[in-house]
Amino acid sequence: MNGAKEFRLGILGSGKGSNFVAIADAIGAGRLPARVALVLSDVEDAGILREARARGLPARFIPPGRFRTKLDEEAERAYVAALQEAGVDCVALAGFMRILKGEFLRAFEGRIVNIHPSLLPAFPGLEAWRQALEHGVKITGCTVHFVDAGVDSGPIIAQCAVPVYDDDTPETLHARIQVAEHELYPQCLAALARGEISLRGRTVLWRRTATACCANAARS
Ligand code: GRF
């Protein structure tokens, strides 16, 4: 966040909302200088909406329209309008299960971020923890990245490695990755809010004083 201006987050999710909870807790604890301006979901009874409402935060279900993997044009307009009305500076995807397209990307260009449960570019797409297990990798993790027109392909902000154990199931591995997600995502959002992150081509640059556990582990 620069000066006294509030950094307003719009958060989109389709699922239980544990990343949203980590973000809200980080704000509450003073670790993330931001405000949750709006939570949106394409799933009417999503846990993320319940979690947001339980905290007294504005939360809305907006129907996604007629497609399964993306928003239709009318829905896209409704999402963009709601986020603009809420005056969001940054859109944080937290388990939002639809690909964002044209108008949405243009409306918030360079201001949309996502958390993905693998070390990208390995295992983009669905159930990345299951892909990692099936591939037999020994280390996986999570990635916070800017969103572009591809699937999990935008510039990488930070990553955190997580070990894979021989007796892991998809559930135990995803749970271990989520512990890392809950650390990493609020730290990346805090760096964005403080204006500590810039982009050179595909490379995300962190201001030297910035701290994200995993991103900066190799710097000290
Ligand atoms: C997370 O694992 C995230 O990486 C992926 O979707 C999951 C959302 O979980 N994009 P939650 O709803 O935040 O608990």
Side-chain angles (χ1 to χ4, degrees):
M1 184 162 63
N2 296 316
K5 192 188 167 295
E6 190 175 61
F7 189 77
R8 296 175 68 83
L9 284 172
I11 301 183
L12 270 58
S14 309
K16 68 179 194 286
S18 69
N19 278 285
F20 159 75
V21 169
I23 291 165
D25 286 353
I27 292 172
R31 286 182 280 116
L32 166 50
R35 169 188 295 270
V36 177
L38 183 61
V39 175
L40 293 178
S41 183
D42 56 331
V43 177
E44 196 161 13
D45 61 351
I48 191 171
L49 292 178
R50 279 198 301 279
E51 295 286 359
R53 288 175 186 138
R55 288 166 173 74
L57 294 169
R60 281 177 60 192
F61 160 66
I62 300 184
R66 63 190 190 282
F67 302 119
R68 215 167 42 85
T69 57
K70 61 178 185 176
L71 302 172
D72 72 14
E73 279 174 26
E74 194 187 332
E76 193 173 70
R77 276 196 294 275
Y79 275 75
V80 169
L83 291 162
Q84 285 175 337
E85 273 161 33
V88 310
D89 297 296
C90 173
V91 178
L93 307 183
F96 191 63
M97 297 305 286
R98 288 167 194 273
I99 296 162
L100 297 174
K101 300 272 183 192
E103 193 187 326
F104 196 110
L105 297 181
R106 277 191 295 279
F108 298 102
E109 201 184 339
R111 296 186 293 145
I112 310 171
V113 294
N114 181 43
I115 180 130
H116 182 78
S118 76
L119 293 177
L120 290 170
F123 313 128
L126 294 177
E127 297 199 327
W129 59 90
R130 194 183 298 275
Q131 296 183 51
L133 211 51
E134 284 169 3
H135 196 89
V137 296
K138 302 300 185 196
I139 296 173
T140 185
C142 55
T143 301
V144 176
H145 64 94
F146 286 108
V147 172
D148 65 11
V151 176
D152 303 321
S153 57
I156 290 171
I157 298 171
Q159 298 184 293
C160 191
V162 170
V164 182
Y165 300 131
D166 291 348
D167 58 355
D168 264 330
T169 63
E171 291 71 30
T172 59
L173 181 55
H174 189 209
R176 192 174 311 115
I177 293 170
Q178 286 224 286
V179 173
E181 291 183 345
H182 300 160
E183 283 274 308
L184 190 65
Y185 210 4
Q187 291 182 354
C188 289
L189 293 172
L192 283 165
R194 294 190 177 108
E196 295 173 344
I197 282 177
S198 59
L199 202 55
R200 189 177 60 201
R202 267 199 67 87
T203 303
V204 173
L205 303 173
W206 285 67
R207 196 192 289 165
R208 260 201 139 8
T209 50
T211 51
C213 59
C214 310
N216 281 22
R219 288 166 182 250
S220 48

